[in-house]
Amino acid sequence: MRAADLDIRKLLDVDARGGVVRFAGERAVILDAGALGRLREELVRLAGYAGARAVLTRFGVAHGARMAEAMASRLAWDNDAELHGAGGLLHTLQGFIRLAPGDTTPLASRGATLVASYEAEQHLAHLGRADEPVCWMLAGIASGYMTRATGEAVYVIEDRCIGRGDDVCHFQGRTRAAWGGALEEHLPFFRESDLDPSLGEPAQPAQPAQPAQPRRATTGRALVAKASALPLAARRGEPPPALVAESPAMQRALDRALRVAPVDSTILLTGESGAGKERVARLIHGASARAAGPFVAVNCAAITETLLESELFGHARGSFTGATHDRAGLFEAARGGTLLLDEVGEAPPGVQAKLLRALQERQVRRVGENTSRPVDARILAATNRDLAADAAAGRFRRDLYYRLRVIEIRLPPLRERREDILPLGRALLAAAARRLDRPVAGFTPEAEAALERHGWPGNVRELENAVEHAVALARGGVADLDDLPDDIRGVDPELHGAAGEEPTERTLEGVERRAILAALERHGGNQARAAAELGIGASTLYRKLRRYARGAG
């Protein structure tokens, strides 16, 4: 049997009368992912980060080992490599992960990349962004599975993680000898006896507990002391909007992005404004060999031609008024990493010519200099324009268009990926609730129906704004239909606006106004309490209320 032949219909057996569920022949239970996230939160609260990591890692080792034993005993594999590679697909079927295309095992020289992780998702939802990788249970599962499948102790370590703000999660598996000293800081979180392949044999009588080696015990205590001191939500800013791909169209786009990520080809990302082009560009960077380097983005439509040339290529001191010192451009700043030319279709003709030269020669020349400097950055470009039509009409350089479009990835608008609206909306709601510190956990059925009906001309960006609007106005634990913007509810704001309200609530000022008035209503007009809830000063709230009163008068 091959790993690709695994089928959940053959692995899952449900006895409805007996109340028994078996997966790969082993008794299983189905648990809610959010409840497991709450369990993680409680473990961190009670045992600190180090204690929670140890518990979840060791639990994962046990789970992975049992799955490997079931796979080896129940199915006849073509060879050992197929059994090793079955682990990733098996845990995808269980809902834990989604592997990047072509990746199968953390034992591969390049490791294994995950584009989705249940564990990172739940950590973000309940504890916020972390400073270190947080897929503790998944690392344990992979370690236990690979140990049983290969017959030697394998330690799988995560070095990139969505839970700390990376675009992907990345795991690498090696034996203890192969890891060398790099494994020492991770060992306290594993119980090494669990990674003894001989445990697949009949159990031996329990031996008296041996005292831990002083050096290792000291290391473990130091890690516990350090990690337990971390706050429950070690935030370094909010994570970027979630990449949700339930729809076939978006899955195709992401699969293509991940297939081309390892190579250095120039990629053109096309799609309507707000469709997520920069987010996919970050995904490509995170899954590439340049992930450790910088990701630099510039909006070509937001800067004048003179400043854009200096921004991209740099300038020499005295090259123009205000150039008081030498300055490197973004091509140089992205050295070893990725440069995203966002809205490249808006670049002026003079800049287009210089971009073409930089891409062809892999060199840039600072404004005011005669010497060229080498470029070591992968170039991605994004546009919401039809560059093929612009090139044909002479509005965009045809040679630059073909230079940028080595590989084109089109991102579908949200109206063409309607299966993604609710999952994406829920992910954005969780992020907005954390950011605004509001106890909003979901949408009512009426609100979800309105989200599904809307046409979303502004795509994911519009959805994100609408969700934040709903979270800001929600009175309880769920966002209701009335909390959504008027246009999404299907209400004409000019006919249904309350007295004193602006005719439209689509502006940022309108959203802010409604959030303030709703907070005042919740606190019975108490301005101090409303200001504390909103996270603004009482004097700021007073000034805003005076401005609203003048507007009403």
Side-chain angles (χ1 to χ4, degrees):
M1 181 174 177
R2 298 177 304 162
D5 296 330
L6 282 178
D7 188 334
I8 193 169
R9 292 169 294 184
K10 298 176 182 178
L11 294 171
L12 187 64
D13 178 42
V14 179
D15 179 359
R17 290 187 176 182
V20 175
V21 176
R22 296 188 183 280
F23 188 89
E26 299 292 336
R27 176 75 182 265
V29 293
I30 298 174
L31 295 174
D32 175 72
L36 291 175
R38 290 297 301 272
L39 173 64
R40 163 183 291 256
E41 183 180 6
E42 285 299 304
L43 283 172
V44 170
R45 184 177 67 84
L46 295 171
Y49 265 71
R53 178 182 174 185
V55 170
L56 292 174
T57 300
R58 295 171 188 184
F59 170 77
V61 168
H63 176 83
R66 287 180 61 83
M67 286 295 99
E69 290 165 1
M71 290 289 98
S73 62
R74 287 175 56 87
L75 301 172
W77 298 96
D78 290 358
N79 51 57
D80 288 343
E82 292 294 337
L83 173 60
H84 301 169
L89 181 55
L90 180 70
H91 298 119
T92 298
L93 296 176
Q94 290 180 314
F96 289 126
I97 62 173
R98 186 159 73 91
L99 281 165
D103 283 7
T104 58
T105 169
L107 291 179
S109 59
R110 67 179 183 182
T113 298
L114 312 185
V115 297
S117 159
Y118 129 81
E119 198 168 9
E121 167 198 299
Q122 290 301 316
H123 192 99
L124 286 170
H126 293 278
L127 295 165
R129 186 182 292 193
D131 289 322
E132 300 294 338
V134 297
C135 295
W136 308 321
M137 188 176 75
L138 294 180
I141 288 174
S143 300
Y145 185 95
M146 299 312 304
T147 292
R148 290 300 185 272
T150 62
E152 59 180 337
V154 172
Y155 294 84
V156 176
I157 305 300
E158 185 181 23
D159 53 25
R160 300 206 301 273
C161 184
I162 295 169
R164 72 169 185 187
D166 297 324
D167 291 289
V168 295
C169 298
H170 182 265
F171 291 84
Q172 187 72 59
R174 298 174 188 163
T175 63
R176 182 170 181 175
W179 276 115
L183 185 62
E184 287 300 312
E185 65 177 292
H186 302 284
L187 277 177
F189 302 106
F190 292 90
R191 186 164 49 219
E192 292 182 74
S193 60
D194 287 349
L195 289 173
D196 180 356
S198 67
L199 290 182
E201 303 169 1
Q204 301 297 317
Q207 300 295 318
Q210 299 296 318
Q213 295 296 320
R215 183 171 63 86
R216 185 167 299 159
T218 301
T219 302
R221 285 197 299 270
L223 283 170
V224 171
K226 176 184 176 182
S228 297
L230 292 172
L232 285 182
R235 294 181 176 88
R236 296 183 303 185
E238 282 299 311
L243 270 174
V244 173
E246 299 290 334
S247 64
M250 193 61 178
Q251 286 181 357
R252 285 193 297 270
L254 293 188
D255 284 346
R256 172 172 285 197
L258 289 165
R259 286 203 306 271
V260 301
V263 298
D264 256 2
S265 299
T266 304
I267 298 173
L268 178 64
L269 299 165
T270 61
E272 295 179 4
S273 179
K277 296 185 291 296
E278 181 173 345
R279 190 70 182 85
V280 173
R282 290 182 179 275
L283 174 69
I284 293 170
H285 171 73
S288 74
R290 294 177 174 269
F295 178 89
V296 180
V298 57
N299 188 326
C300 299
I303 308 174
T304 63
E305 179 171 357
T306 303
L307 291 178
L308 180 59
E309 182 178 353
S310 172
E311 191 76 9
L312 289 171
F313 308 117
H315 62 255
R317 178 182 178 183
S319 55
F320 54 84
T321 303
T324 58
H325 58 276
D326 291 348
R327 182 177 181 274
L330 296 182
F331 270 91
E332 294 178 67
R335 182 179 182 84
T338 302
L339 174 62
L340 171 64
L341 304 171
D342 199 7
E343 301 301 345
V344 70
E346 308 296 334
V351 174
Q352 289 181 34
K354 292 181 172 65
L355 276 175
L356 176 64
R357 181 175 179 273
L359 294 174
Q360 286 177 332
E361 300 180 7
R362 306 297 297 176
Q363 292 182 334
V364 294
R365 183 175 298 172
R366 293 181 182 179
V367 176
E369 284 190 349
N370 294 322
T371 58
S372 297
R373 301 167 185 266
V375 170
D376 178 24
R378 184 192 192 159
I379 307 301
L380 307 180
T383 182
N384 60 8
R385 299 176 63 98
D386 183 348
L387 283 194
D390 285 351
R395 294 186 295 268
F396 192 84
R397 290 187 67 109
R398 190 187 297 268
D399 44 7
L400 177 59
Y401 168 62
Y402 288 117
R403 178 66 64 175
L404 293 172
R405 187 181 166 268
V406 176
I407 298 168
E408 181 176 355
I409 299 175
R410 176 186 176 272
L411 298 186
L414 198 52
R415 62 181 174 276
E416 293 180 10
R417 42 181 292 217
R418 305 201 75 84
E419 303 96 322
D420 294 335
I421 292 174
L422 289 185
L424 183 55
R426 292 169 185 143
L428 293 170
L429 180 138
R434 288 195 306 274
R435 186 169 61 252
L436 302 180
D437 197 20
R438 299 297 311 281
V440 184
F443 298 101
T444 63
E446 294 78 11
E448 290 190 343
L451 293 176
E452 289 187 304
R453 283 195 306 268
H454 189 60
W456 302 111
N459 296 297
V460 179
R461 187 176 296 123
E462 182 188 7
L463 175 61
E464 185 177 13
N465 292 340
V467 168
E468 181 167 341
H469 183 288
V471 169
L473 296 181
R475 291 183 172 86
V478 291
D480 204 350
L481 178 64
D482 289 340
D483 301 322
L484 293 171
D486 291 330
D487 57 333
I488 294 171
R489 290 190 290 132
V491 174
D492 185 343
E494 294 190 4
L495 298 178
H496 294 80
E501 284 189 347
E502 295 293 333
T504 177
E505 295 294 339
R506 282 178 255 183
T507 64
L508 179 60
E509 184 178 1
V511 172
E512 178 189 77
R513 177 188 178 125
R514 289 193 62 183
I516 288 174
L517 296 178
L520 281 170
E521 181 180 348
R522 283 192 295 274
H523 292 286
N526 188 310
Q527 294 185 17
R529 292 180 181 174
E533 177 188 323
L534 294 165
I536 60 177
S539 59
T540 301
L541 177 61
Y542 178 73
R543 286 198 306 273
K544 291 180 181 294
L545 291 174
R546 287 193 63 187
R547 187 170 72 246
Y548 300 159
R550 289 197 300 270

